[in-house]
Amino acid sequence: MRSSEEIEAVWRTFDHHPMETLTKAWWMTQAPKGMRQRSVTMMESHRKSLGTSGNCYDLTLWLLYALQEAGVEAEPVGHGWFTSRAHAAVLAKDRVGAEWLCDLGDQWIQPVPVDAEHEAFPRKPTAGLFPGASVSLSRNGNALTVCYHRHGGKKSDQTYNLCPVDRDTFSRACAWSQDHLKKRPLLEIRIPWEKETALWEWDGNKAVLSTSRGLVRLDSPSTATHWPKQIHDVAGIDPQVVTKALEVYDRIRKTG
């Protein structure tokens, strides 16, 4: 399964961009007064100099810009705007009018068609689209439900609202997200593992590898001071950025 050459070419440029909330915490200590959501220019500059990436809002904004620069029609979609459960992604349209879900925030391996009549629409569990799981899709109007089939028969699902959100609402949702941190950081990045693409996941305490064989518990540093180097080694983020971000999260946990 492959989307159009134009969509695929842009998507591949984000292959090594993790979804992470460390940069959001770090940016809270760096942002000029009144500025919350980083511009695409800033994100590109930070990526080049510091190896940073961003959360699902950052990645959606970034991908939207890159697709439109390539002449691809694209709009933001998601669910739960202005809540802690929110998630953002991109709906891109190829030259023949087929729509593709492009979700960097959840670290999909590649875009997936959302039209139930499309020949590549994965009605049955399909491997190679999402790290560590096969996925099957079903659609009811603008609701696209993704079922994740994991090792051992475990299943979970997520539903996207494919009705594009207007850019003003999306911009305000981005700013809202940048003002709100959960108590623990999160980082997810696709990495090669044996003969598949796995997901390296870190929640501030431990790192695990999500694979088709289930979760693989990884050796964790004995102290939190070791995480900046390990995260740099895996995801490329400057250790000083990670250290500053962890200080922010530590203050949040202590203040409740």
Side-chain angles (χ1 to χ4, degrees):
M1 180 192 302
R2 285 289 185 270
S3 56
S4 70
E5 291 182 5
E6 294 85 356
I7 296 174
E8 187 77 15
V10 173
W11 177 265
R12 293 273 78 92
T13 65
F14 289 88
D15 273 351
H16 304 292
H17 289 53
M19 189 296 299
E20 47 89 6
T21 61
L22 290 165
T23 299
K24 178 163 69 170
W26 167 80
W27 183 239
M28 286 180 168
T29 71
Q30 307 292 316
K33 186 176 181 179
M35 179 179 289
R36 291 179 284 180
Q37 175 61 52
R38 294 178 297 155
S39 67
V40 171
T41 299
M42 281 185 173
M43 288 190 281
E44 291 174 337
S45 176
H46 292 158
R47 177 71 181 171
K48 184 176 181 180
S49 62
L50 301 169
T52 56
S53 183
N55 68 353
C56 69
Y57 285 94
D58 294 318
L59 293 170
T60 294
L61 182 64
W62 202 341
L63 181 58
L64 279 171
Y65 175 83
L67 286 168
Q68 290 168 348
E69 283 290 289
V72 177
E73 183 179 343
E75 297 293 342
V77 295
H79 58 75
W81 305 115
F82 306 104
T83 74
S84 61
R85 303 181 305 279
H87 183 66
V90 173
L91 191 64
K93 185 178 291 187
D94 65 23
R95 285 180 293 178
V96 297
E99 293 181 319
W100 297 77
L101 178 69
C102 304
D103 191 343
L104 291 171
D106 273 353
Q107 291 287 292
W108 283 68
I109 296 172
Q110 62 186 64
V112 62
V114 300
D115 185 347
E117 303 306 314
H118 194 285
E119 61 181 1
F121 187 79
R123 292 181 179 83
K124 297 181 179 180
T126 304
L129 300 177
F130 191 86
S134 295
V135 297
S136 58
L137 273 59
S138 61
R139 182 164 178 176
N140 182 11
N142 284 322
L144 179 76
T145 298
V146 181
C147 183
Y148 304 90
H149 305 260
R150 304 182 188 277
H151 179 76
K154 296 179 180 178
K155 295 182 182 180
S156 60
D157 59 66
Q158 176 178 199
T159 299
Y160 295 82
N161 182 350
L162 296 181
C163 184
V165 65
D166 66 86
R167 293 305 179 95
D168 178 65
T169 299
F170 179 63
S171 178
R172 289 188 291 109
C174 286
W176 187 93
S177 174
Q178 301 307 324
D179 277 345
H180 293 78
L181 278 180
K182 295 182 179 179
K183 290 186 177 182
R184 292 198 175 279
L186 180 65
L187 187 149
E188 300 177 345
I189 186 170
R190 289 170 283 154
I191 64 171
W193 182 77
E194 297 190 356
K195 295 182 179 181
E196 65 179 273
T197 298
L199 191 67
W200 192 89
E201 303 176 73
W202 173 75
D203 65 0
N205 276 333
K206 64 183 184 302
V208 298
L209 200 61
S210 181
T211 78
S212 62
R213 302 179 194 173
L215 290 179
V216 177
R217 184 69 181 264
L218 303 173
D219 291 336
S220 296
S222 56
T223 66
T225 58
H226 291 165
W227 279 119
K229 181 182 184 304
Q230 183 157 345
I231 289 171
H232 174 266
D233 291 344
V234 174
I237 302 175
D238 189 306
Q240 293 185 15
V241 171
V242 179
T243 297
K244 179 62 71 173
L246 292 179
E247 291 173 357
V248 173
Y249 276 105
D250 189 51
R251 288 199 297 271
I252 290 173
R253 287 193 294 273
K254 287 179 178 178
T255 57

